[in-house]
Amino acid sequence: MDDVARKPTYRQEWSAYNLAQTNEKARFQELLYELCQSIDDLPRKPGAGRNRLPLGEMIFCAAYKVFSTVSGRRFISDLREAQKRGLISKTPHFNSIFNYLEMEEMTAFLKQLIITSSLPLKSVESDFAVDSSGFSTGRFVRWLHAKYSKPQVIDKADWLKVHLMCGVKTNIVTSVEVTGRYEHDHAFFKPLVETTAQNFKMQEVSADKAYLSAANLRLVTDKQAMPYIPFKANSTVDRKRKQDTMWKWMFHYYMANQEKFMQSYHKRSNVESTFAMIKAKFGERLRSKTEVAQVNEVLCKVLCHNLCCVIQSMYELGVDVNFCAESPLAQKLEPFT
């Protein structure tokens, strides 16, 4: 028994964890408020009727609603408390939140907020992982099911595919793309890596075999990082590949350093943990009906996850967070009672 390798275990910092969890809701509102202060209102269209509600406040309401995981009607009491604290100027009708989720303009703002929310962990994260996962919707599509039984047509829930890159230490999401269910993972490796490289100094990038290509290997090395993407069983250095130095070098490194390679590659499991965290805490099913609203809803889930990771890092790692230095929260917010 003494010769059997034991799986390493890590001590949980319970005091820091308890502080993070007991203060998470209050901290979440404050950090989300700071993030939304940088959002400018959309220009009002001539003859559009009533003035629009402030976009920053509506993004705050939408993200906070996703964080709460309750229905729009039951969520209004939380917004009233947020108004008392000075986080929003007025409590909107619950239908207004849903209407704003259906605005295409919100998508770009939410993606930028996700990137901004990851920046406090720039000094912490250097190794990253890439993967995708599906979030089911309330819509159904027809499938021909014939794998283990007679062919039969069934109705199956439709889903959106979320492609993301995350840090392997804190599970913070550094870049994200949302697509339809049939989009291939490989095409989104480049935008995820390039977006992350703009804000983080990457040392390692882990991904599964679906992302394997000479172009992706070269992309990561061009960012001064090491790609850990395992080769397939039929991968070789053939005549076509002989001219590609990066493919040849990585293939021989992979074959000659299997144990070391796989140790770094298995950091990729953290991206699966990231998806599990998002789905367990904020749900794996999207409640919105339209495609635009579904995209914005899943981006809100990722944004909520990021802020929770930041809050955890504030207590466990002592990370200093200040999204809005020019407007100190202590001067504008009323404390919880």
Side-chain angles (χ1 to χ4, degrees), residues 4-12 263 266 269:
V4 178
R6 294 185 178 181
K7 184 178 180 180
T9 57
Y10 304 94
R11 180 176 177 270
Q12 174 69 55
Q263 285 178 353
H266 281 305
S269 61

Side-chain angles (χ1 to χ4, degrees), residues 1-6:
M1 293 296 292
D2 294 338
D3 296 334
V4 178
R6 294 185 178 181

Side-chain angles (χ1 to χ4, degrees), residues 30-31 80 113-114 128 140 146 155 173 232 235 299 309 331:
E30 295 171 0
L31 294 179
R80 293 195 186 103
L113 290 181
I114 291 170
F128 301 89
F140 289 84
D155 289 331
V173 176
K232 301 176 183 178
S235 297
L299 289 175
C309 290
Q331 300 177 8

Side-chain angles (χ1 to χ4, degrees), residues 39-102:
I39 299 176
D40 296 327
D41 290 338
L42 295 173
R44 183 173 179 272
K45 297 180 180 179
R50 295 182 301 174
N51 291 332
R52 283 177 167 173
L53 297 168
L55 182 60
E57 291 191 8
M58 294 310 297
I59 291 180
F60 174 92
C61 294
Y64 188 20
K65 190 268 177 191
V66 170
F67 175 84
S68 71
T69 70
V70 299
S71 67
R73 293 171 177 84
R74 294 167 61 197
F75 173 63
I76 293 302
S77 59
D78 290 324
L79 285 185
R80 293 195 186 103
E81 292 298 322
Q83 183 181 356
K84 291 179 181 178
R85 296 192 68 210
L87 296 166
I88 54 177
S89 59
K90 61 180 295 186
T91 302
H93 192 275
F94 56 85
N95 280 333
S96 296
I97 301 175
F98 304 143
N99 292 337
Y100 270 74
L101 276 175
E102 294 181 355

